[in-house]
Amino acid sequence: MAPGQRGWGWHYRGFVLLSILLGTRWEAWAGQILYSVSEETDKGSFVGNITKDLGLQPRELAERGVRIITKGKTQLFSLNPRSGSLVTAGRIDREELCAQSPRCLVSFNILIEDKMNLYPIEVEIMDVNDNAPKFLTEEINVKIMENAAPGMRFPLSEATDSDVGKNSLQRYQLSPNHHFSLVVQSGDDGTKYPELVLEKTLDREEEGLHHLVLTAYDGGDPLRSGTASILVTVVDVNDHTPVFSLPLYQATVPENVPVGTRLLTVNAIDLDEGIYGEVTYSFRKITPELLQIFHLSSLTGELSTLKGLDYEESSFHELEVQAQDGAGSLTKAKVLITVLDVNDNAPEVTVTSVSSPVPEDTPPGTVIALFYLQDKDSGKNGEVTCSLPENLPFKLERSIDNYYRLVTARNLDREKMSVYNITLKATDGGIPPLSTETRMSIHVSDTNDNPPTFSDSSYSIYVPENNPRGASIFSVTAQDPDSDKNAQVTYALAEDTIQGVPVSSYVSINSDTGILYALGSFDYEQFRDLHLRVTARDSGDPPLSSNVSLKLFVLDKNDNAPEILYPALPTDGSTGVELAPRSAEPGYLVTKVVAVDKDSGPNAWLSYRLLKASEPGLFSVGLHTGEVRTARALLDRDALKQNLVVVVQDHGQPPLSATVTLTVAVANSIPDVLADLGSIRTPSEPDDSDITLYLVVAVATVSCVFLVFVTVLLALRLWRWHKSHMLQASSGGGLEDVPASHFVGLDGVQAFLQTYSHEVSLTADSRKSHIIFPQPNYVDTLISQDSCEKSDSLLTSIDFQECKGEAPSSQVS
């Protein structure tokens, strides 16, 4: 493959199909397509024929939504929509991307959006020799004494190359000369270090300076290099060594001298000239700790402090210093520093033992803590006293040596104070005195000595009826001043029954939060109040508890419409009929509507009014009594059948009502009713109307037969009476012996008819129709069970269902 076509190479390492389900099914191809391209190529340079490798046509790049997905922000490659090739999006610098990595790979993915297929792509960026080796400095200075022995090595600065592989630094070359050669050492990481080797003895008088050139080469094509000049200076021979003015230097200082104070100055003299007479000072023998305390000036020999001296750590310090000239000759001397004590140390409080937390039921005199007092100073500076703040339930007791004990002085109460922050003050006897304050925290642990308490001794709960099932109706909270498990309160309902039913069937309580929930919908008409008892119990050992009473009142809501008791609504389709004689005066009580409401208060206050009437103004209804009375005198033109609609309404919000329909027959007697009975019909089904008509015809026929029978009986009686009268006249006899029972006058017939006037009830079901001869007037009261049980010789009942608890469907009085 030609070098210009290096980026055309690609390797395909097998496709693996992965199926991933995420909402909808999509597939991703995981494989490895590898291309290579050289760095520093122009924008749009060919990398690989991506469409061919993916089995696509160039036109499919746009049709199927093929695009590059990269992880970084910089887009290094792009797709050529015309050729379908992968090309560079700009200039690529391998050293910027991968630095000194042996291999530089750029990874990205090709996405085919129509099928959500992903193809991983890797492009290797090939290095080109675009960087030459480079030295850190252009000139390297080396000083060599003229008496240096041949073979000595002098390290030189190395060069660097940003390229990798054969394009990186490969070798060094020294310019030709008679005194030096070059040796290259390799480090563990492959770095090459050049060293200058003295091959021939130097003579400063012959040649004091030597100019050399060091060249570094890489292995690229074309070859690149970098150079640095080397200046070798030959120095003269040293004839004298430095000499200190004193063999021992001493200084006495207080320990509180400021940092940076000059303690003393060492001095050494060298009789040589030039660099051989230049003396430098340094520590020859010193510990790492003293290096942190003292500083020696290399030029002036001044010894100063780097930090404060401490008599308590060391009362004197012994040092060894050396003086060295420019040729390397040196001499040494001793330095002794004596430190004087001052009251610079405050007392120290060392807590040896502490008991925390302390149970709140700890008895007085119990040892809580043990601590030790000390002062590093000596004499009175080291004498320490200790004190404790007042108003604390603790006191100090001195033990042996400098030990003190902290003991309880009285009983503790965690609920009043759970943590005591104690400040111990230790003061020494120095002038001025120094003191130290030490703080310790004593935690008081809880004991279960407080039961849970409610804010009130009892609570009243008001819940409207018809509440949602499971609704929160109230919350109780008990506070326990204890802590942790001793303050963990659980709630429970005391066992009790209401009307034989457990309280838990009506109300439940959350044992953790104390929220009460209604297990069902309350009905004011069923019960109006509940008495509950809630127990709050903590989790201590042993547990403590308290109780609270709850009174739950169910508030009435207007959820019941008025219920009409009389006249009762028929269950058999019949129509109740009330009789109003035409001779009735205004205010005559026809009937009375009786209703009740299961609610209470204003929700049960009932009012009656006439909603609809066949003849307005004929009847009136009492607002509060429900009595139906005639409003005026009845006239002959008034229809026999009068329909009244009475509405009963409560005073709730919103108000509820019920209606009842009354049928009033306006007639003086049953024959009048029978004459027009066909007109009294209940709007019903056609079949029911036909049956009722048949019943009316049957009753009329029976009545006619009865009247014919009475007429025949009268005629027979008259005929017998006439016959007997004729016989008496013919025989001249009287009628005194004829029994009075054989004679019936017109008054007797009228009395008989009045006696057998009857009450008629007609229904669609002939089995439930009945005829009852009337009892005394029941206009103002309901028919009672007792009246049904009376034995009256004038009462003949065809149907006793009314006396069995079934209200009459219609009534004619």
Side-chain angles (χ1 to χ4, degrees), residues 331-444:
T331 186
K332 60 182 179 179
K334 287 186 178 182
V335 177
L336 184 60
I337 305 298
T338 302
V339 182
L340 300 178
D341 181 40
V342 295
N343 190 25
D344 60 342
N345 291 283
E348 295 180 0
V349 179
T350 303
V351 179
T352 304
S353 177
V354 61
S355 297
S356 182
V358 180
E360 61 179 325
D361 57 353
T362 299
T366 303
V367 178
I368 302 301
L370 182 66
F371 52 92
Y372 177 73
L373 300 180
Q374 65 176 350
D375 195 315
K376 293 181 180 180
D377 295 324
S378 59
K380 287 190 175 182
N381 295 335
E383 296 179 359
V384 184
T385 58
C386 187
S387 62
L388 189 69
E390 299 179 355
N391 301 323
L392 289 178
F394 304 99
K395 63 182 180 178
L396 291 173
E397 292 181 355
R398 187 160 186 172
S399 184
I400 58 175
D401 297 333
N402 288 331
Y403 282 93
Y404 284 81
R405 295 182 299 182
L406 181 68
V407 298
T408 56
R410 57 179 182 267
N411 293 324
L412 305 177
D413 189 349
R414 191 208 65 85
E415 286 71 40
K416 292 182 179 179
M417 184 69 70
S418 60
V419 179
Y420 290 94
N421 294 315
I422 302 173
T423 301
L424 297 174
K425 186 175 182 180
T427 306
D428 62 20
I431 299 176
L434 299 179
S435 62
T436 300
E437 291 184 352
T438 300
R439 294 174 177 83
M440 66 173 64
S441 296
I442 303 298
H443 294 264
V444 181

Side-chain angles (χ1 to χ4, degrees), residues 69-128:
I69 305 296
T70 60
K71 297 179 181 179
K73 296 182 180 179
T74 304
Q75 188 80 12
L76 300 178
F77 304 96
S78 61
L79 295 174
N80 189 325
R82 293 185 178 180
S83 63
S85 302
L86 181 68
V87 298
T88 59
R91 174 183 169 275
I92 300 176
D93 188 354
R94 183 191 183 283
E95 289 73 34
E96 182 181 349
L97 290 175
C98 304
Q100 296 293 315
S101 298
R103 194 178 185 191
C104 185
L105 292 176
V106 177
S107 301
F108 56 91
N109 294 314
I110 297 293
L111 172 64
I112 302 180
E113 287 187 318
D114 62 344
K115 292 187 177 181
M116 298 301 291
N117 291 339
L118 277 177
Y119 297 87
I121 308 295
E122 284 187 348
V123 178
E124 182 177 3
I125 310 300
M126 309 301 296
D127 183 48
V128 296

Side-chain angles (χ1 to χ4, degrees), residues 307-319:
K307 67 177 185 179
L309 302 177
D310 192 351
Y311 169 84
E312 290 70 34
E313 292 184 359
S314 178
S315 60
F316 67 95
H317 301 282
E318 184 178 353
L319 311 174

Side-chain angles (χ1 to χ4, degrees), residues 290-602:
L290 293 181
L291 281 175
Q292 303 297 323
I293 300 175
F294 299 103
H295 169 69
L296 179 63
S297 175
S298 62
L299 298 178
T300 64
E302 291 183 352
L303 183 65
S304 59
T305 58
L306 292 175
K307 67 177 185 179
L309 302 177
D310 192 351
Y311 169 84
E312 290 70 34
E313 292 184 359
S314 178
S315 60
F316 67 95
H317 301 282
E318 184 178 353
L319 311 174
E320 189 173 304
V321 297
Q322 66 181 11
Q324 184 177 10
D325 61 16
S329 298
L330 55 85
T331 186
K332 60 182 179 179
K334 287 186 178 182
V335 177
L336 184 60
I337 305 298
T338 302
V339 182
L340 300 178
D341 181 40
V342 295
N343 190 25
D344 60 342
N345 291 283
E348 295 180 0
V349 179
T350 303
V351 179
T352 304
S353 177
V354 61
S355 297
S356 182
V358 180
E360 61 179 325
D361 57 353
T362 299
T366 303
V367 178
I368 302 301
L370 182 66
F371 52 92
Y372 177 73
L373 300 180
Q374 65 176 350
D375 195 315
K376 293 181 180 180
D377 295 324
S378 59
K380 287 190 175 182
N381 295 335
E383 296 179 359
V384 184
T385 58
C386 187
S387 62
L388 189 69
E390 299 179 355
N391 301 323
L392 289 178
F394 304 99
K395 63 182 180 178
L396 291 173
E397 292 181 355
R398 187 160 186 172
S399 184
I400 58 175
D401 297 333
N402 288 331
Y403 282 93
Y404 284 81
R405 295 182 299 182
L406 181 68
V407 298
T408 56
R410 57 179 182 267
N411 293 324
L412 305 177
D413 189 349
R414 191 208 65 85
E415 286 71 40
K416 292 182 179 179
M417 184 69 70
S418 60
V419 179
Y420 290 94
N421 294 315
I422 302 173
T423 301
L424 297 174
K425 186 175 182 180
T427 306
D428 62 20
I431 299 176
L434 299 179
S435 62
T436 300
E437 291 184 352
T438 300
R439 294 174 177 83
M440 66 173 64
S441 296
I442 303 298
H443 294 264
V444 181
S445 62
D446 183 53
T447 57
N448 194 26
D449 55 347
N450 294 281
T453 57
F454 293 93
S455 57
D456 296 314
S457 59
S458 62
Y459 297 92
S460 296
I461 309 172
Y462 299 91
V463 181
E465 65 172 332
N466 303 325
N467 56 286
R469 180 176 298 178
S472 171
I473 58 176
F474 196 67
S475 176
V476 293
T477 303
Q479 302 294 335
D480 195 319
D482 294 325
S483 65
D484 298 331
K485 67 177 183 179
N486 295 331
Q488 295 177 0
V489 181
T490 58
Y491 303 89
L493 286 174
E495 295 293 336
D496 200 357
T497 58
I498 300 175
Q499 300 177 357
V501 180
V503 172
S504 57
S505 301
Y506 296 96
V507 179
S508 68
I509 188 170
N510 188 308
S511 61
D512 296 326
T513 62
I515 299 177
L516 281 86
Y517 298 93
L519 297 181
S521 181
F522 296 149
D523 190 352
Y524 177 84
E525 289 72 36
Q526 182 180 0
F527 63 88
R528 300 186 178 184
D529 57 77
L530 290 176
H531 293 275
L532 311 173
R533 189 161 55 91
V534 175
T535 300
R537 179 178 288 102
D538 61 26
S539 302
D541 186 17
L544 302 178
S545 62
S546 61
N547 300 322
V548 67
S549 298
L550 281 78
K551 296 181 180 179
L552 189 151
F553 297 96
V554 181
L555 302 180
D556 182 45
K557 294 178 66 175
N558 192 26
D559 57 341
N560 291 283
E563 181 182 355
I564 297 177
L565 300 180
Y566 183 84
L569 296 178
T571 59
D572 54 3
S574 62
T575 302
V577 179
E578 304 290 343
L579 182 64
R582 291 188 178 272
S583 60
E585 298 294 332
Y588 176 81
L589 179 62
V590 178
T591 186
K592 181 177 182 179
V593 177
V594 180
V596 294
D597 196 313
K598 294 181 179 180
D599 296 323
S600 64

Side-chain angles (χ1 to χ4, degrees), residues 191-202:
T191 304
K192 294 177 173 59
Y193 301 97
E195 292 181 351
L196 188 65
V197 181
L198 180 62
E199 297 290 344
K200 184 179 180 182
T201 303
L202 301 174

